[in-house]
Amino acid sequence: MIAFLKRFSRNPAAVVGLVILVLVVAFAILAPLLYPNSPWKPVQRPFLAPFAQAGFPMGTDTLGRDVAAGLVHGARVSLQIGVVSTIVALLIGVPLGAIAGYSGGWVDDLLMRFTEFFQTIPSFALAIVMVAILQPQLGSIILAIGVVSWPPVARLVRGEVLSLRSREYVQAAITIGQSTPRIIFSQILPNTIAPIIVIGSLMVGTAILLESSLSFLGLGDPNLMSWGYMVGAGRTRLLDSWWISFFPGIAIFLTVLALNLAGEGLNDALNPRLSRGRK
Amino acid sequence: MTGPVLSIEGLTLALPPLSDRPHAVENITLKIAPGETLCVVGESGSGKSMIAHSVMGLLPQAVTPAAGQIMLNGRDVLRLDQAGLQDLRGREAGMIFQEPMTSLNPVMRVSDQIVETFAAHNLHSREERKRRALALLTEAGLPDPERLARAYPHELSGGQRQRVMIAMALALEPKLLIADEPTTALDVTTQAQILRLIENLRRRHGTAVLFITHDMGVVAEIADRIAVLEKGVLVEEGLASEVLGAPKHPYTQKLLAAVPSLTPPAPKNLAAAPVVFSVSDLNKTYRKRSLFGPTREVVAADGITFSLRRGETIGIVGESGSGKSTVGRCCMRLIEPEAGSIILGETEISGLGKAALRPHRKRIQMVFQDPFACLNPRQTIGRIITDGPVAYGVPRSEAMVRARELLELVGLSANAIDRYPHEFSGGQRQRVGIARALALEPDVLVADEAVSALDVSVQAQILRLIQDIQQRLGLAILFVTHDLRVAAQICDRIVVMSRGRIVEEGETAAVFANPRHDYTRQLLGAVPGGAAFETASPRA
């Protein structure tokens, strides 16, 4: 564990990413304390520029709502959707990939064709259709994002399991009479944890982007202030009131970047032999 | 030229901090005269490969030369810059590596790879380069050189690839050929051919050879002089006949004593013992379907029949591709045989479905080849050993108590139970593998090349352990191996396989003393060192 932290901290970009992430998470957790009022509530005159008035460092939007409050509450929504939809995607992708990789033969063929079916449909289009049919609500958005993001997980896990399946310790587990589910769960999957963690951390970033895009198009949950919705709401006044779209845009950018940096760092730290740039 | 081709003076290579020892090698002084073969022998981790790599300037970045010099034809290798090293590589010294699979570029025709060597040193015209490449391949004994020169590496066998490597290493007629375990990955008969080839080329060109190996048999076969390395320290050096005939250092004596003799010990009397395991008419063919062209078939087992008595060890020997491992795995039903019956005790296990087979699995257990891959890196030793009994309904705590006893039985301390596999050496892991197999109290043990990945001294310990356990528990053992020396020591009977068929079968002593089949004779003739170790190892 200490060696892992050491390797992780050797990558400065990853540390920066982690610091940004910790800040975003802290804002999300402290949101009700920092801005106890609903972010939907108009608090000042509309189109107030940043720093024009004390207490409104990011100004107000078209309806006089505090952009900073929206940003902090939006962090909760973005992170929640990013993490939960990734878990949904892992819950679909990991078992499918493990079964396909371990069984091989026609089961593998069938499951992989099924995976490819999802991969050939543009994921954003599918997400839009799903949210539109299921009503834009938190649950349906999470489900839609999860459903369009699992195929890469399934492919990754299948590949890992395929190579682990022929390891001698797995063969040994067969010969000592362990049942197949037990072999998959106790012998194989624990050894695929590292790449799953890495792809998971990167997927949280993609999920946040997807959610933002959906909200931007007005397909977000109408009860939740999200970054994507804020960018979308301010886009008509981009020229005269740039800050309404700009700050949530920066928040999305920084969070996704931080997740990617931290994910890369995790990758290097978890697979020391494959890491790039080391001599 | 009369001086030595290579002279290493007081070479010390420093390992990075936190390694298990401060220096890879310490104060090594070696000389090789023109046309001489110097064998550097040692077990894994002795630093022997580091010496070879340092001569070529191929040390890993973490390893730095701390003292000494390497004079190759009057130039100090350790003080050369990149350009100087590039000029030296190939021209002054050529190198052959262990793994013929990975040491050639897979997307280049083999003749082009030799042409590259000339191109790298700006020698000869295009036409001349091609002509020389072909001549080299011919000299290296590649069959049908005209055609195979245009082949890609994957179209060649391991031995043929190693011939290409040798042709490449000798392309610029270097004064020194460095061979780093060049035959370790090859079958015995191929190994014998490659050794003969190196020997012939050395005679013809007067090339000095620095030969790195762990195999005392190979050493006895080709060395003029021998240097023995123990944990980075040169413990003995001298003429081959002296070192092999009258080793002075205890480590050399230990190494030589660990080489198993080709003379089998007196056979056990097992005529009265009941048959516990038998296989009859086992067939297995691997088919590779191809969209275009005919289906490729490889017959891995064809009409395999044998039976195993309680307390008996049968050795299945053969070269790679002979199907011996397939037979071992079919017995475990890790691979499904196509036809034939496998009878374990009174049960015919070949016809059983997966679920019906599971209760019978505990009676036949396996010890695997690779001590690094055979234990799950994320489980403790205790977990690994107890998983088997737990799968049969024994409570974990009870199984743990038994696991402690088993660890003691296989010569490990009982407190190993909470540790992870990476904390153990190869030999210790193999002991854990044996303990895992024994935890289920099997009647039959299948050992698939169980000692092939181990150093000779460790190998001897594990073989003794297996024999000891067999005596105590009355196990029947099916011992799959390519190493006839090991087979001679441990097996009561031998089954010789070639291309999926049994070509000869009989009491070990009888087969070794009087082989009836040509293939068996060929195998026995190719064992490196031949009878050189008969007096050195009075075991049994």
Side-chain angles (χ1 to χ4, degrees), chain B residues 399-438:
Chain B
M400 281 290 182
V401 175
R402 175 99 182 93
R404 283 174 196 277
E405 294 169 17
L406 281 167
L407 283 171
E408 304 266 359
L409 177 71
V410 298
L412 292 170
S413 96
N415 59 27
I417 206 154
D418 295 319
R419 290 158 71 190
Y420 285 88
H422 68 90
E423 299 173 56
F424 295 91
S425 70
Q428 289 172 323
R429 288 178 202 214
Q430 212 57 330
R431 288 171 193 269
V432 174
I434 293 171
R436 166 175 58 195
L438 294 179

Side-chain angles (χ1 to χ4, degrees), chain A residues 168 171 174-175 187 190-191, chain B residues 329 361 365 370 373 376 378:
Chain A
E168 287 183 345
Q171 309 235 304
I174 299 174
T175 65
Q187 308 282 353
N191 284 294
Chain B
R329 276 161 202 258
R361 282 219 188 260
Q365 287 297 304
D370 187 344
N376 190 338
R378 292 194 182 252

Side-chain angles (χ1 to χ4, degrees), chain A residues 123-207:
Chain A
S123 55
F124 190 54
L126 181 60
I128 290 178
V129 171
M130 283 189 66
V131 175
I133 293 174
L134 294 174
Q135 302 301 322
Q137 279 161 358
L138 186 65
S140 61
I141 294 170
I142 287 173
L143 187 72
I145 297 176
V147 164
V148 301
S149 348
W150 65 268
V153 182
R155 290 219 155 253
L156 173 92
V157 173
R158 170 179 175 268
E160 291 285 323
V161 172
L162 263 183
S163 82
L164 289 173
R165 183 179 64 161
S166 54
R167 292 281 163 90
E168 287 183 345
Y169 62 81
V170 177
Q171 309 235 304
I174 299 174
T175 65
I176 61 171
Q178 281 196 330
S179 63
T180 304
R182 206 175 164 77
I183 291 172
I184 294 180
F185 281 104
S186 79
Q187 308 282 353
I188 296 182
L189 281 183
N191 284 294
T192 62
I193 284 291
I196 291 178
I197 288 178
V198 171
I199 199 174
S201 71
L202 297 174
M203 275 169 58
V204 174
T206 338

